[in-house]
Amino acid sequence: MTDAPKLLTIKEVACLLRVHRATVSRLIGTGALPHLAIGSRKLVLETDLLSFLENRRSLAANSPKGA
């Protein structure tokens, strides 16, 4: 199962982004960060996290400087 997608917990995502777990939960709640619900757990695919970061990078690059 080496090709299986990597699932990350909210805590793992928070550590990678260097933010609080509540921030990750808020991003999930608003739909900004896709997730999978398995029972009561919310898990994030690593590929979805990478896409989220790339989208944020694109938004930052296209925003006016000094705004």
Side-chain angles (χ1 to χ4, degrees), residues 3-33:
D3 293 337
K6 184 170 182 182
L7 294 170
L8 303 168
T9 64
I10 288 177
K11 183 177 179 180
E12 290 170 329
V13 173
C15 286
L16 288 169
L17 296 179
R18 295 187 173 117
V19 297
H20 195 273
R21 291 184 318 272
T23 302
V24 176
S25 293
R26 197 171 343 154
L27 289 169
I28 287 172
T30 62
L33 181 60

Side-chain angles (χ1 to χ4, degrees), residues 5-66:
K6 184 170 182 182
L7 294 170
L8 303 168
T9 64
I10 288 177
K11 183 177 179 180
E12 290 170 329
V13 173
C15 286
L16 288 169
L17 296 179
R18 295 187 173 117
V19 297
H20 195 273
R21 291 184 318 272
T23 302
V24 176
S25 293
R26 197 171 343 154
L27 289 169
I28 287 172
T30 62
L33 181 60
H35 73 286
L36 300 171
I38 311 262
S40 63
R41 296 190 63 163
K42 293 177 182 173
L43 302 170
V44 177
L45 284 167
E46 184 178 39
T47 54
D48 285 340
L49 178 59
L50 295 174
S51 294
F52 169 80
L53 291 174
E54 187 56 39
N55 288 340
R56 290 293 168 130
R57 176 187 264 181
S58 295
L59 288 174
N62 293 329
S63 68
K65 303 294 182 212

